[in-house]
Short mmCIF file of all heavy atoms in Angstrom, two decimals:
data_model
loop_
_atom_site.label_atom_id
_atom_site.label_comp_id
_atom_site.label_asym_id
_atom_site.label_seq_id
_atom_site.Cartn_x
_atom_site.Cartn_y
_atom_site.Cartn_z
N ASP A 150 16.34 -67.66 76.63
CA ASP A 150 15.26 -67.41 77.59
C ASP A 150 15.58 -68.05 78.94
O ASP A 150 15.42 -67.42 79.99
CB ASP A 150 13.95 -67.96 77.06
CG ASP A 150 13.36 -67.11 75.94
OD1 ASP A 150 13.78 -65.94 75.80
OD2 ASP A 150 12.50 -67.62 75.20
N GLU A 151 16.03 -69.29 78.89
CA GLU A 151 16.28 -70.03 80.13
C GLU A 151 17.32 -69.34 81.01
O GLU A 151 17.17 -69.24 82.23
CB GLU A 151 16.74 -71.44 79.78
CG GLU A 151 17.21 -72.29 80.94
CD GLU A 151 17.94 -73.53 80.46
OE1 GLU A 151 17.48 -74.15 79.47
OE2 GLU A 151 18.96 -73.90 81.06
N GLN A 152 18.39 -68.84 80.37
CA GLN A 152 19.49 -68.21 81.11
C GLN A 152 19.37 -66.69 81.15
O GLN A 152 20.25 -66.03 81.71
CB GLN A 152 20.82 -68.60 80.47
CG GLN A 152 21.17 -70.06 80.57
CD GLN A 152 21.51 -70.47 81.99
OE1 GLN A 152 22.14 -69.70 82.73
NE2 GLN A 152 21.12 -71.67 82.38
N GLN A 153 18.32 -66.15 80.53
CA GLN A 153 18.14 -64.70 80.44
C GLN A 153 19.43 -64.04 79.94
O GLN A 153 19.97 -63.10 80.54
CB GLN A 153 17.73 -64.13 81.80
CG GLN A 153 16.38 -64.65 82.29
CD GLN A 153 15.91 -64.00 83.57
OE1 GLN A 153 16.70 -63.69 84.47
NE2 GLN A 153 14.61 -63.76 83.67
N LEU A 154 19.90 -64.54 78.81
CA LEU A 154 21.15 -64.03 78.25
C LEU A 154 21.00 -62.55 77.90
O LEU A 154 19.98 -62.12 77.37
CB LEU A 154 21.52 -64.82 76.98
CG LEU A 154 21.86 -66.30 77.17
CD1 LEU A 154 22.21 -66.92 75.83
CD2 LEU A 154 23.00 -66.49 78.16
N SER A 155 22.06 -61.80 78.16
CA SER A 155 22.07 -60.37 77.86
C SER A 155 23.03 -60.01 76.75
O SER A 155 23.00 -58.90 76.24
CB SER A 155 22.43 -59.56 79.12
OG SER A 155 23.73 -59.92 79.58
N ARG A 156 23.87 -60.96 76.37
CA ARG A 156 24.83 -60.67 75.30
C ARG A 156 25.36 -61.95 74.69
O ARG A 156 25.46 -62.99 75.35
CB ARG A 156 25.99 -59.82 75.82
CG ARG A 156 26.91 -60.54 76.79
CD ARG A 156 27.69 -59.61 77.66
NE ARG A 156 26.83 -59.00 78.66
CZ ARG A 156 27.26 -58.17 79.59
NH1 ARG A 156 28.53 -57.81 79.63
NH2 ARG A 156 26.44 -57.67 80.49
N LEU A 157 25.68 -61.86 73.40
CA LEU A 157 26.40 -62.90 72.68
C LEU A 157 27.78 -62.36 72.37
O LEU A 157 27.93 -61.20 71.98
CB LEU A 157 25.68 -63.29 71.39
CG LEU A 157 24.24 -63.81 71.51
CD1 LEU A 157 23.66 -64.09 70.13
CD2 LEU A 157 24.17 -65.05 72.39
N LEU A 158 28.80 -63.20 72.53
CA LEU A 158 30.18 -62.81 72.29
C LEU A 158 30.73 -63.66 71.15
O LEU A 158 31.23 -64.77 71.35
CB LEU A 158 31.02 -63.02 73.56
CG LEU A 158 30.48 -62.34 74.83
CD1 LEU A 158 31.33 -62.71 76.04
CD2 LEU A 158 30.42 -60.83 74.66
N PRO A 159 30.62 -63.16 69.90
CA PRO A 159 31.03 -63.95 68.74
C PRO A 159 32.55 -64.02 68.58
O PRO A 159 33.29 -63.18 69.11
CB PRO A 159 30.41 -63.20 67.55
CG PRO A 159 29.43 -62.23 68.15
CD PRO A 159 29.96 -61.91 69.51
N GLY A 160 32.99 -65.01 67.81
CA GLY A 160 34.41 -65.10 67.48
C GLY A 160 34.84 -64.05 66.47
O GLY A 160 36.02 -63.75 66.34
N HIS A 161 33.89 -63.50 65.71
CA HIS A 161 34.16 -62.43 64.74
C HIS A 161 33.10 -61.35 64.91
O HIS A 161 31.91 -61.64 65.04
CB HIS A 161 34.09 -62.96 63.30
CG HIS A 161 35.05 -64.06 63.00
ND1 HIS A 161 36.36 -63.84 62.66
CD2 HIS A 161 34.90 -65.40 63.02
CE1 HIS A 161 36.97 -64.99 62.46
NE2 HIS A 161 36.09 -65.96 62.67
N GLY A 162 33.52 -60.10 64.90
CA GLY A 162 32.57 -59.00 64.97
C GLY A 162 32.28 -58.57 66.39
O GLY A 162 32.80 -59.12 67.36
N PRO A 163 31.40 -57.57 66.53
CA PRO A 163 31.15 -56.97 67.85
C PRO A 163 30.23 -57.80 68.73
O PRO A 163 29.54 -58.73 68.27
CB PRO A 163 30.48 -55.65 67.48
CG PRO A 163 29.75 -55.93 66.21
CD PRO A 163 30.65 -56.88 65.46
N LEU A 164 30.22 -57.44 70.01
CA LEU A 164 29.26 -57.99 70.97
C LEU A 164 27.84 -57.74 70.47
O LEU A 164 27.55 -56.70 69.90
CB LEU A 164 29.51 -57.32 72.32
CG LEU A 164 28.58 -57.57 73.50
CD1 LEU A 164 29.35 -57.36 74.80
CD2 LEU A 164 27.36 -56.63 73.49
N LEU A 165 26.95 -58.70 70.75
CA LEU A 165 25.54 -58.57 70.36
C LEU A 165 24.70 -58.49 71.63
O LEU A 165 24.71 -59.42 72.45
CB LEU A 165 25.11 -59.75 69.50
CG LEU A 165 25.89 -59.93 68.18
CD1 LEU A 165 25.55 -61.25 67.52
CD2 LEU A 165 25.62 -58.76 67.24
N ALA A 166 23.98 -57.40 71.80
CA ALA A 166 23.30 -57.12 73.06
C ALA A 166 21.85 -57.61 73.11
O ALA A 166 21.17 -57.40 74.11
CB ALA A 166 23.34 -55.62 73.35
N ASP A 167 21.35 -58.25 72.04
CA ASP A 167 19.98 -58.75 72.02
C ASP A 167 19.98 -60.21 71.58
O ASP A 167 19.61 -60.53 70.44
CB ASP A 167 19.14 -57.90 71.07
CG ASP A 167 17.69 -58.36 70.97
OD1 ASP A 167 17.25 -59.13 71.86
OD2 ASP A 167 17.00 -57.96 70.01
N PRO A 168 20.43 -61.13 72.45
CA PRO A 168 20.55 -62.53 72.04
C PRO A 168 19.27 -63.12 71.46
O PRO A 168 19.31 -63.78 70.41
CB PRO A 168 20.96 -63.23 73.34
CG PRO A 168 21.69 -62.19 74.12
CD PRO A 168 20.94 -60.92 73.83
N ALA A 169 18.14 -62.90 72.13
CA ALA A 169 16.89 -63.48 71.63
C ALA A 169 16.55 -62.94 70.25
O ALA A 169 16.16 -63.70 69.34
CB ALA A 169 15.75 -63.20 72.61
N GLY A 170 16.69 -61.63 70.06
CA GLY A 170 16.38 -61.02 68.77
C GLY A 170 17.31 -61.51 67.68
O GLY A 170 16.87 -61.78 66.55
N VAL A 171 18.60 -61.62 67.98
CA VAL A 171 19.57 -62.11 66.99
C VAL A 171 19.25 -63.54 66.59
O VAL A 171 19.24 -63.88 65.40
CB VAL A 171 21.00 -62.01 67.55
CG1 VAL A 171 21.98 -62.74 66.64
CG2 VAL A 171 21.42 -60.56 67.71
N LEU A 172 18.96 -64.38 67.56
CA LEU A 172 18.67 -65.78 67.26
C LEU A 172 17.35 -65.92 66.51
O LEU A 172 17.23 -66.75 65.60
CB LEU A 172 18.67 -66.60 68.54
CG LEU A 172 20.08 -66.78 69.15
CD1 LEU A 172 19.99 -67.24 70.59
CD2 LEU A 172 20.89 -67.77 68.32
N ASP A 173 16.37 -65.11 66.84
CA ASP A 173 15.11 -65.11 66.06
C ASP A 173 15.39 -64.75 64.60
O ASP A 173 14.83 -65.36 63.68
CB ASP A 173 14.11 -64.12 66.66
CG ASP A 173 13.44 -64.64 67.92
OD1 ASP A 173 13.46 -65.86 68.15
OD2 ASP A 173 12.90 -63.81 68.68
N PHE A 174 16.27 -63.76 64.40
CA PHE A 174 16.62 -63.37 63.03
C PHE A 174 17.33 -64.51 62.31
O PHE A 174 17.03 -64.81 61.14
CB PHE A 174 17.50 -62.13 63.03
CG PHE A 174 18.13 -61.85 61.69
CD1 PHE A 174 17.38 -61.34 60.65
CD2 PHE A 174 19.47 -62.13 61.47
CE1 PHE A 174 17.95 -61.11 59.40
CE2 PHE A 174 20.05 -61.91 60.23
CZ PHE A 174 19.29 -61.39 59.19
N TYR A 175 18.28 -65.14 62.98
CA TYR A 175 19.01 -66.26 62.36
C TYR A 175 18.05 -67.37 61.95
O TYR A 175 18.17 -67.94 60.85
CB TYR A 175 20.04 -66.81 63.34
CG TYR A 175 21.44 -66.28 63.14
CD1 TYR A 175 21.72 -64.92 63.23
CD2 TYR A 175 22.49 -67.14 62.86
CE1 TYR A 175 23.00 -64.44 63.04
CE2 TYR A 175 23.78 -66.67 62.68
CZ TYR A 175 24.04 -65.32 62.77
OH TYR A 175 25.30 -64.85 62.57
N ILE A 176 17.10 -67.69 62.82
CA ILE A 176 16.15 -68.77 62.52
C ILE A 176 15.26 -68.40 61.33
O ILE A 176 15.06 -69.19 60.40
CB ILE A 176 15.31 -69.09 63.77
CG1 ILE A 176 16.20 -69.73 64.84
CG2 ILE A 176 14.13 -69.99 63.42
CD1 ILE A 176 15.55 -69.81 66.22
N SER A 177 14.74 -67.17 61.33
CA SER A 177 13.88 -66.74 60.23
C SER A 177 14.66 -66.63 58.93
O SER A 177 14.15 -66.96 57.85
CB SER A 177 13.20 -65.41 60.56
OG SER A 177 14.14 -64.36 60.68
N HIS A 178 15.91 -66.18 59.02
CA HIS A 178 16.75 -66.08 57.81
C HIS A 178 16.95 -67.44 57.18
O HIS A 178 16.86 -67.57 55.94
CB HIS A 178 18.09 -65.47 58.19
CG HIS A 178 19.10 -65.50 57.08
ND1 HIS A 178 19.04 -64.65 55.99
CD2 HIS A 178 20.20 -66.28 56.88
CE1 HIS A 178 20.04 -64.89 55.17
NE2 HIS A 178 20.76 -65.88 55.68
N ARG A 179 17.19 -68.46 57.99
CA ARG A 179 17.39 -69.81 57.45
C ARG A 179 16.10 -70.32 56.79
O ARG A 179 16.15 -70.96 55.73
CB ARG A 179 17.84 -70.76 58.55
CG ARG A 179 19.26 -70.53 59.01
CD ARG A 179 20.25 -70.88 57.93
NE ARG A 179 21.56 -70.35 58.19
CZ ARG A 179 22.61 -70.43 57.36
NH1 ARG A 179 22.45 -71.02 56.18
NH2 ARG A 179 23.76 -69.90 57.68
#
Side-chain angles (χ1 to χ4, degrees):
D150 286 343
E151 172 193 319
Q152 294 289 323
Q153 296 185 324
L154 295 180
S155 60
R156 68 202 73 178
L157 301 178
L158 306 176
H161 301 276
L164 173 154
L165 300 171
D167 179 16
V171 170
L172 289 164
D173 283 342
F174 168 74
Y175 262 60
I176 291 167
S177 65
H178 172 74
R179 288 293 164 185

